[in-house]
Amino acid sequence: MPLEAMQRQEPIVSESLHMSPDEFRAHAHRVVDWMCDYFANVEQYPVRSVCRPGEIAAAVPDEPPQNGDSFDAIMSDLDRVIMPGVTHWQHPSFFAYFPANSSPPSVLAEMITSALAVNCMLWVTSPAGTELETRVLGWLARMIGLPASWQGVIQDTASSASLCAILCARERFSDFAVNERGFAGGDKAGRMTVYTSDQAHSSIEKGAKIAGIGRENVRVVPTDQNYAMDVDALREMIEADRHKGMSPIAVVATVGTTSSTAIDPLRPIGEVARQHNLWFHIDAALAGTAAILPEFRWLHEGVELADSYCFNPHKWMLTNFDCSAMYCHDADVLKRTFSIQPEYLRTDAGGVIDYRDWGVALGRRFRALKLWVVIRSYGVEGIRRYIRHHIDLAQEFAGWINEDPAFELLAPHPLNTVCFRWIADGSLPDDQLNAANKKLLDAINDTGEQFLTHTKLSGRYTIRMAVGQTRTLRRHVEAAWENIQRLAAGLA
Amino acid sequence: MPLEAMQRQEPIVSESLHMSPDEFRAHAHRVVDWMCDYFANVEQYPVRSVCRPGEIAAAVPDEPPQNGDSFDAIMSDLDRVIMPGVTHWQHPSFFAYFPANSSPPSVLAEMITSALAVNCMLWVTSPAGTELETRVLGWLARMIGLPASWQGVIQDTASSASLCAILCARERFSDFAVNERGFAGGDKAGRMTVYTSDQAHSSIEKGAKIAGIGRENVRVVPTDQNYAMDVDALREMIEADRHKGMSPIAVVATVGTTSSTAIDPLRPIGEVARQHNLWFHIDAALAGTAAILPEFRWLHEGVELADSYCFNPHKWMLTNFDCSAMYCHDADVLKRTFSIQPEYLRTDAGGVIDYRDWGVALGRRFRALKLWVVIRSYGVEGIRRYIRHHIDLAQEFAGWINEDPAFELLAPHPLNTVCFRWIADGSLPDDQLNAANKKLLDAINDTGEQFLTHTKLSGRYTIRMAVGQTRTLRRHVEAAWENIQRLAAGLA
């Protein structure tokens, strides 16, 4: 077609459909100021949103707008409609769950990631995405003392990493027969069992369900008085299952359980796994970060016996969600478990990694960039100072609990999380204490000054104090303790 | 503990560990300018990175830095080390795969999301995250004509949505026995089969493997001359399988296949699904967006027969990855498939949605915010103009192909994607044309001026031209056609 004919038609959409470059620049600078104001003022918000169910939804129209609004109007609605419904994970008095870390360098990196907006599914779709991911996961492996031969990949969450590990176990055990013919089609599919402790994260059960293994084939191994896996019980359960004709395929150990940061003994578990040829996965979602400290490297004693391992820089290493670092002793099993090669994804690039074969999702954000920027910005020493700071604060908090006869510690507190309850004068039965501590936790959270969450340990309602927010200083932990003491005194 | 004792100790980490608020503000404004420069200069980069395997990795040290670097040094390395390895999905001449959309409002929203850094796993962990997600998915459902009763959730990718759908099918069929007892434990687990066309996305096979159904139990239904599913063949395959004692559980239809945007006939497929009690999932990852246009609402003819449906605003609706909108006719099946309730996630909030029960991952970013900002910014009409613009450009490009005797179209082009090949004077056999068109595609991509990718249709090497980049204007499509013609002439 001659060029003149092509040029007859005007552009169908002029560039005016989009915000102009100048408008974007002005709005983006304004958003930066909004972000800075947010960080400066975050302590003025109640940590946990005080809105009631349905309140935010009621302020958003049923119908989408037919025509575009100005960005000013949207920012105004952000403040008016959305912000009252935000629970402030970046508030320095956020002590709930485990933290969702972020940091100034991580936010800056996320800005760049969103501008580049590349899809890192294949090497060719952004070589830097792939190669930087390999490189920074190598950095992380060195930082926490993983074997140099292991290969890493960024998953979205530790839940997905657990699922990947269970699928690897299933496929290695069945010689990839379940992938090929399904459970119903293979002699070796059998009745598979997976072992993990009664303190393990719910994602292990979820993964076993997704993988077709089933909840009742997840063997819940009892824990000792420290909430760490009882390895003798593990061994007996595996042997009993073998005796019954079951097929044990995997054991999942936890370094830093969600309830109390209990630490399963990796070496003896790994030895049992080797003996019985089980896939050995380690879920160190929170606590892996602590192994960056030389004085906490013992957390990983025996890690070299594992087949796969996962920890979340997005929890306690200054990196925005989502960023879960997963490692495999033999990444070929992972790749073979997930690899599919349709024509439209075939490339000529040889000898490169295509990370889409390393997990569930095909598309992938350029998540390595924020890890690179965070590690470059803080350096290993800066990250160590940061982690030590939280651990020291948590230890100090535990000391206060310990010295106050109206409170008791309910679990060891090796890291940044302290499990405790109010016990009044020590004379009340557990059921009354459970109710009282629930009331106490609600009272703390209702003040809006802190946000803590709970768990149950040995049937006792347990308040958890997880110190891991990026901006938490000593004064925030002190204020929490004062508030807890004051509200507990009111209960008595 | 008395307050004086607590105050004895100085803060263990002064705020100086982190970038100061003033430093962050300065760096963030600088990053905004970097982003604006990137958008202004993106056309000066080769679209597909020209770096060689290992080149980026070689420029990143083996060892992590012990001490932090200045942000200036990091930005300088971003330009020097990382950018040469970026494939520019935001280049207006990116015509490869399907696009990874972004837009100025979406980038602004991502900035806010990264600053808030909330985890939207539960309602209570950010009520606005949950309620805005419900609301904007309601908007999207109205925009593309889905039944008002359906409930939506944001997944990361359409691959995950396909996995969710297959798991729902498995659990509904087995009355949740596979989740509970695994495949080996239930009478109703049987040998399940899933049906999808030979043009369906690879994620269907991947999902069936993950779910324990197996590759060979994914029945590949043939397609007609338009690459749409042959419904008679589907019906016959289901009946043959039933006859053999298999258990058909699901059919997945595609609206806009990855190779050629072929459109499976939803109503007849849905009728077969109803008749045989199969879960009916619709994968409209790219093309769902086109149904925002009244003149393309026919794409969804029969959609109300589906059990689940998915499309990706991150592909063609101006929204940054990841953002895949999934809908269920009966969301209770999805929730029951994934729900697990450990004590540490229990809340008192009643009558609210906890989206962590709606998919694989537990943690969730505040992804609804960017959708809200995008729809508010463009309005439904603005998005319509945007989609029409791409479709019109693709149709015009197809016209040029059609008028040039040295080229031929290889598939219908109802939407934004044109499948074609060079045929010289029409005398060459397919194997020679396959080699020549591979050479042509490499030559186009090696210029760095455009990036296109390929597929195979009926054994023919096929070049795909997918027009969907946010900043693509008519001149970019014209330049692509000129380059293609010029390079093809050189082949002859």
Side-chain angles (χ1 to χ4, degrees), chain A residues 9-28:
Chain A
Q9 281 184 256
E10 289 304 302
I12 296 155
V13 163
S14 71
E15 310 207 13
S16 73
L17 176 71
H18 300 297
M19 205 178 267
S20 76
D22 285 347
E23 283 171 325
F24 175 77
R25 191 184 297 265
H27 292 316

Side-chain angles (χ1 to χ4, degrees), chain A residues 137-153:
Chain A
L137 286 173
W139 288 4
L140 281 177
R142 284 176 157 80
M143 287 161 68
I144 61 175
L146 301 184
S149 63
W150 286 10
Q151 286 187 279
V153 57

Side-chain angles (χ1 to χ4, degrees), chain A residues 120-398:
Chain A
C120 301
M121 59 183 177
L122 303 172
W123 179 85
V124 74
T125 65
S126 252
T130 297
E131 297 193 9
L132 196 65
E133 184 160 336
T134 307
R135 242 354 183 201
V136 294
L137 286 173
W139 288 4
L140 281 177
R142 284 176 157 80
M143 287 161 68
I144 61 175
L146 301 184
S149 63
W150 286 10
Q151 286 187 279
V153 57
I154 301 176
Q155 307 284 1
D156 57 355
T157 61
S159 294
S160 295
S162 293
L163 171 61
C164 290
I166 291 168
L167 291 169
C168 284
R170 188 189 79 180
E171 292 310 304
R172 189 177 71 173
F173 175 80
S174 75
D175 200 17
F176 297 87
V178 176
N179 255 356
E180 186 57 22
R181 299 191 293 279
F183 270 98
D187 297 340
K188 289 198 72 183
R191 183 137 179 176
M192 300 181 186
T193 48
V194 171
Y195 303 79
T196 198
S197 92
D198 58 25
Q199 297 295 307
H201 192 262
S202 54
S203 58
I204 315 304
E205 180 185 323
K206 195 171 185 176
K209 288 158 83 175
I210 292 169
I213 291 166
R215 189 198 58 77
E216 69 178 28
N217 299 315
V218 177
R219 299 291 188 245
V220 180
V221 183
T223 46
D224 63 19
Q225 74 283 0
N226 295 327
Y227 301 105
M229 190 188 283
D230 176 341
V231 185
D232 289 334
L234 167 68
R235 192 180 296 108
E236 285 160 21
M237 291 167 88
I238 292 172
E239 286 166 2
D241 280 332
R242 284 213 187 284
H243 197 74
K244 283 188 281 183
M246 310 294 282
S247 301
I249 62 162
V251 56
V252 181
T254 311
V255 176
T257 59
T258 308
S259 280
S260 72
T261 65
I263 296 146
D264 288 342
L266 301 185
R267 182 167 302 284
I269 294 171
E271 284 163 358
V272 172
R274 289 252 166 133
Q275 186 191 342
H276 289 279
N277 206 23
L278 306 195
W279 186 278
F280 178 24
H281 178 66
I282 298 173
D283 174 6
L286 171 87
T289 297
I292 298 172
L293 302 177
E295 66 270 29
F296 277 91
R297 187 58 64 80
W298 59 267
L299 288 167
H300 281 166
E301 222 287 298
V303 76
E304 71 278 6
L305 298 175
D307 293 287
S308 56
Y309 171 96
C310 161
F311 90 105
N312 294 348
H314 70 231
K315 274 201 169 67
W316 198 15
M317 214 195 83
L318 299 153
T319 307
N320 275 71
F321 185 90
D322 45 7
C323 186
S324 183
M326 182 186 185
Y327 293 87
C328 284
H329 163 69
D330 179 4
D332 281 343
V333 179
L334 185 66
K335 280 183 272 184
R336 211 174 139 194
T337 296
F338 286 113
S339 179
I340 283 178
Q341 190 74 289
E343 186 66 31
Y344 50 78
L345 294 176
R346 249 176 246 277
T347 66
D348 290 335
V352 298
I353 290 175
D354 289 330
Y355 277 121
R356 62 100 202 257
D357 289 334
W358 296 52
V360 174
L362 169 59
R364 309 179 82 248
R365 289 165 70 231
F366 189 177
R367 291 178 292 205
L369 191 73
K370 59 190 169 189
L371 259 182
W372 179 72
V373 173
V374 164
I375 300 172
R376 288 283 307 269
S377 293
Y378 288 90
V380 175
E381 281 304 325
I383 296 171
R384 284 179 178 152
R385 280 175 62 207
Y386 172 78
I387 300 301
R388 279 193 190 109
H389 165 65
H390 289 141
I391 294 175
D392 289 349
L393 289 177
Q395 298 309 312
E396 203 175 2
F397 180 86

Side-chain angles (χ1 to χ4, degrees), chain B residues 193-197 219 221 234 237-238 241 248-252 278:
Chain B
T193 48
V194 171
Y195 303 79
T196 199
S197 92
R219 299 291 188 245
V221 184
L234 168 68
M237 291 167 87
I238 293 171
D241 279 332
I249 63 163
V251 57
V252 180
L278 307 195

Side-chain angles (χ1 to χ4, degrees), chain A residues 63-116:
Chain A
E63 294 284 340
Q66 283 304 302
N67 298 298
D69 253 330
S70 73
F71 194 69
D72 287 348
I74 296 168
M75 286 301 285
S76 154
D77 283 349
L78 171 69
D79 290 330
R80 188 181 59 83
V81 176
I82 307 298
M83 291 305 287
V86 171
T87 290
H88 298 280
W89 288 69
Q90 302 313 312
H91 193 301
S93 297
F94 183 98
F95 302 112
Y97 308 104
F98 285 139
N101 262 193
S102 173
S103 65
S106 175
V107 171
L108 295 170
E110 287 274 67
M111 291 167 64
I112 294 163
T113 300
S114 74
L116 294 177

